[in-house]
Amino acid sequence: MSNNTELNLKDCEIIENEIKMLGDEIRALKAEKADPNIVKEKVAKMLEKKALIGDAGKSKEMSKFTLKTPKGTRDYNPQAMSIREKVLNLVTNVFKVHGAETIDTPVFELKEILMGKYGDEGGKLVFDLANQGGELCSLRYDLTVPFARYLAQNKQTNIKRYQIAKVYRRDQPYMTKGRYREFYQCDFDIAGQYDSMVPESECIKIIDDVLKKLDIGTYEIRINHRLFLEGIFEICGAPANEFKNVCSSIDKLDKQPWEEVKEELVKVKFIDEKVVNKLEKYVRLREQNPSFDRIQLLEWFEKDEIASKNAKITTAIEEMKLMFEYSECFGVSSSAVFEPSLARGLDYYTGLIYEAIIIECPFFIKPEECDEEEKNARIGSVAAGGRYDKLVGMFLQGTGNDKKAKNDVPCIGVSFGIERLFTLVEMKYKTCGIPMRTNETEVFVATAQKGLLKERMKICKDLWESDIKAEMIYKKNPKLLTQLQYCEEKSIPYAIIIGQREIEEGVVKVRHVINRQENDVKLGDLTGKLKELLNC
Amino acid sequence: MSNNTELNLKDCEIIENEIKMLGDEIRALKAEKADPNIVKEKVAKMLEKKALIGDAGKSKEMSKFTLKTPKGTRDYNPQAMSIREKVLNLVTNVFKVHGAETIDTPVFELKEILMGKYGDEGGKLVFDLANQGGELCSLRYDLTVPFARYLAQNKQTNIKRYQIAKVYRRDQPYMTKGRYREFYQCDFDIAGQYDSMVPESECIKIIDDVLKKLDIGTYEIRINHRLFLEGIFEICGAPANEFKNVCSSIDKLDKQPWEEVKEELVKVKFIDEKVVNKLEKYVRLREQNPSFDRIQLLEWFEKDEIASKNAKITTAIEEMKLMFEYSECFGVSSSAVFEPSLARGLDYYTGLIYEAIIIECPFFIKPEECDEEEKNARIGSVAAGGRYDKLVGMFLQGTGNDKKAKNDVPCIGVSFGIERLFTLVEMKYKTCGIPMRTNETEVFVATAQKGLLKERMKICKDLWESDIKAEMIYKKNPKLLTQLQYCEEKSIPYAIIIGQREIEEGVVKVRHVINRQENDVKLGDLTGKLKELLNC
């Protein structure tokens, strides 16, 4: 890394200018055949300046191009893309199996649409477009708020939709940990007025289906309820206006010991220690009773003298029991559990909340061999969501729709941590030694002799017309070795080889690239024979 | 509407801040157990402020919403998306049949990467991100420049890749004509040092394949060569520095009569009338000799006494002849033609250039019934591209790579006018009455009686587990009519209906939604039977 990372753009420009001026001076000096020592001195000075802004400046254009992607973003090469495509196809197919439609929204929204939806912290992380005259716009921060805007704008009250698209957060990037400023989100949501817990169970089912099919290890779908948390706060005497504040600490319990969380609550957030002590019993219930199953945990609260008297808690417990009943009908595995300490961040949740994490994974390389991104994918959530019944209403109210009853479009959804899933599947491929193909070419059309370009072209044409994926090299006189090496590199299963003899006899050699077996096939039978071979 | 609409953003922010400060004060007062009256006073003050920016202390954001997408952008509803998905799948499959890989690049690039690549006009239309501290970035304007940056940055010298992604142009939008500020591009490019005209012919083949498969009418792939144009300019005495200027007029010949083009050249661009008259003969050659085929047209220039003496023209003609020879081997239809007046805009082309347009289309509704977007899709180009051998080199030179020889990564590519193709396919669906499905649900699980929610859930589970796309309504007691109407609306082919009788007999009714035929099927045979039905 060069040292220019510490210079801001303004500084760079100033130095660049100085370099330019020195360059002009040097040229002038040389032109008038000045004392070489003076020239040398100037050159040294210029090199010094150049070193300041980058590694030993070469041409003056170089400072115009920094060949990189913007901070916090990256390119995806064909290998990364092929993993992405596989994972996205699998997830999309699950959504389609559940009858979902898809929509698309612009990558930027009016700034005012996004404002106030992501809490104080989120708000600061929104990317704005420059004001080039006209509306103030910002890049989308998630897909949920644009979805709610879409529903409100189109006065649509029910839909089951998925959307897979990139979102933007001006977070401090931590690329080695997989935290980027541009990343995919992959959302499934159900909007509409339906019976209690039925859409909820389908969302849980979808998480279960996706994680089962991805086959990247055992997982847990942790479930909680906003009303449950609010009720617990009430019975512990935690101030209602500190709800978000306390939640964000409690939510860390999956990664931090209670003692640390408690310290933060008492010493940083100034929550009364008595309150915190009361909270402990409830939020650590699962942790401290590992033998309890999800129903036993829920029933504990029904039996608890204090908790069972709180209306919010009883509603939440009832709903969660119903949800587990339904999701059992849907065949959701026992991986779905009740976790009293789950308290997801976003402001807009109003009911059930959930997140899924990978517990154990046979494909994990040893922790000490993982890079940071891989480690992070192992511990972070790979899917999360919940019910948000008021978000669409916020938009409808905003436009002055005064019919209160119409102002609510209840919604529930799940967002897959698709970037982490990409990383995990990549690890699986690596560990299991599954070759990662970057294209899908089935047959490479090669020549053993010079020329024969047009003959190869005609064979390609025949293959393409039969929808066989085929390639050839764009050269008149390629070397056979080069062509076969390409086949191995790209894991292309078959090569067709033609030479003068084959042309004369009206045949081609079909070579199995891995086992190197070769057979002559009549030109007329070629596509049929290949289709046969490719289907096995 | 509340009164805060009259407040501007700045005012809102100031008031918001005051509210926040009052909140802090109130918390502090409470903590130190201050006089309740003082607290009350502060609370009243805060509520007053809140009322200023929104009705009675609710979130201030609500009244600011204008429920729309930013200027020049739009949402895509499930219907639009289903057409898009079909078209993109078809195009992607053609790319894959030709062995292409895919890459992805960030939606924004460093501003300096895009600068100077799109001519003066293009440069003005780039969307910038706001300077929120850090690098200056802009939204990508096309996929070609990011691709060239990718190659240069990764020092990659050959690849055959496609990329389908959105690009951004701060153009005056003309939405009724289908001109948006955010739109898809769909590019296929071949980078690498190869033999003359081989990659060119494959690009032409790909255009031919895509348009043939889309089946939206007869089309023409118009081909020309930058050197040909330069040569013609030379022999007519047109000033070399007016090249771009003259080209942009000549290029309008497909939409405007010669007289208008001539007038623009002479009166607006001040090109000598004698030069313009000389040009006419060459650029209108095809128009004035409609009986000539592509080879006859090319050969005309070989025979022409003046043209045949120009080195640029002879090179261009030779290359185009070779390209037609090769593309014939690839089975490209006679839709590929030589068009001497084709002169595409972008600066970076260096060799063969081409564009495809739809000539006649059986699906076209009568012109007077077309809306502007449809009309425009009929006349605009649906694919275009060419050779650009110097673009990657611009980036490599910029970084100070001093080995001249390595500075060229020859490239050729094609970009599909995918938005117009979407419109054309949509017209085809409309005209032919093909139902546009927004989801792919194969079976709807319905109930004829109240209740039976869990029974429906279990059937859904069985279907999902067999990868049958299935849905049910999220209600305990839905009306049968509502459920069947949903099936018709969504063109779902089959409905399963259960009632008490069916449950008792261990059967379900399978109903063909269109012909309304119903058959009892044993529950155990259901998935097998459905798979059979769905395969026909």
Side-chain angles (χ1 to χ4, degrees), chain A residues 78 81-83 85-86 89 436-444 467-471 486 490-494 534, chain B residues 89 92-102 160 162:
Chain A
M81 288 304 284
S82 83
I83 296 269
E85 199 185 348
K86 278 194 188 71
N89 281 349
M436 280 190 266
R437 295 202 58 184
T438 57
N439 68 14
E440 299 174 11
T441 306
E442 296 163 321
V443 183
F444 187 89
D467 263 331
I468 295 171
K469 302 189 176 85
E471 279 188 89
Y486 180 83
K490 295 277 178 186
S491 307
I492 300 172
Y494 292 96
L534 290 164
Chain B
N89 281 349
T92 306
N93 191 57
V94 171
F95 295 157
K96 286 184 175 178
V97 161
H98 286 262
E101 309 174 316
T102 188
K160 178 161 61 185
Y162 68 91

Side-chain angles (χ1 to χ4, degrees), chain A residues 348-365:
Chain A
Y348 49 59
Y349 290 122
T350 55
L352 204 75
I353 52 177
Y354 33 83
E355 78 177 22
I357 56 158
I358 303 294
I359 304 286
E360 238 192 304
C361 175
F363 311 111
F364 282 150
I365 29 186

Side-chain angles (χ1 to χ4, degrees), chain A residues 62 101 325 454 474 490, chain B residues 101 202 325 398 454 490:
Chain A
M62 92 166 218
E101 309 175 315
E325 241 180 279
K454 288 188 185 174
Y474 303 119
K490 295 277 178 186
Chain B
E101 309 174 316
E202 188 161 11
E325 241 180 279
K454 288 189 183 172
K490 295 278 177 184

Side-chain angles (χ1 to χ4, degrees), chain A residues 62 66 68 75 85 96 101 104 112 135 149 166 195 202 325 398 438 454 474 476 490, chain B residues 62 66 68 75 85 96 101 104 112 135 149 166 195 202 325 398 438 454 474 476 490:
Chain A
M62 92 166 218
T66 320
K68 63 184 278 297
D75 293 321
E85 199 185 348
K96 287 185 175 179
E101 309 175 315
D104 194 18
E112 57 198 31
E135 302 156 340
R149 192 265 308 145
K166 286 181 181 172
D195 281 329
E202 189 161 10
E325 241 180 279
T438 57
K454 288 188 185 174
Y474 303 119
K476 281 185 188 167
K490 295 277 178 186
Chain B
M62 62 173 257
T66 321
K68 62 184 279 295
D75 294 320
E85 199 185 348
K96 286 184 175 178
E101 309 174 316
D104 194 18
E112 58 199 29
E135 303 158 339
R149 191 264 308 145
K166 286 181 181 172
D195 281 331
E202 188 161 11
E325 241 180 279
T438 57
K454 288 189 183 172
Y474 303 120
K476 281 185 188 167
K490 295 278 177 184

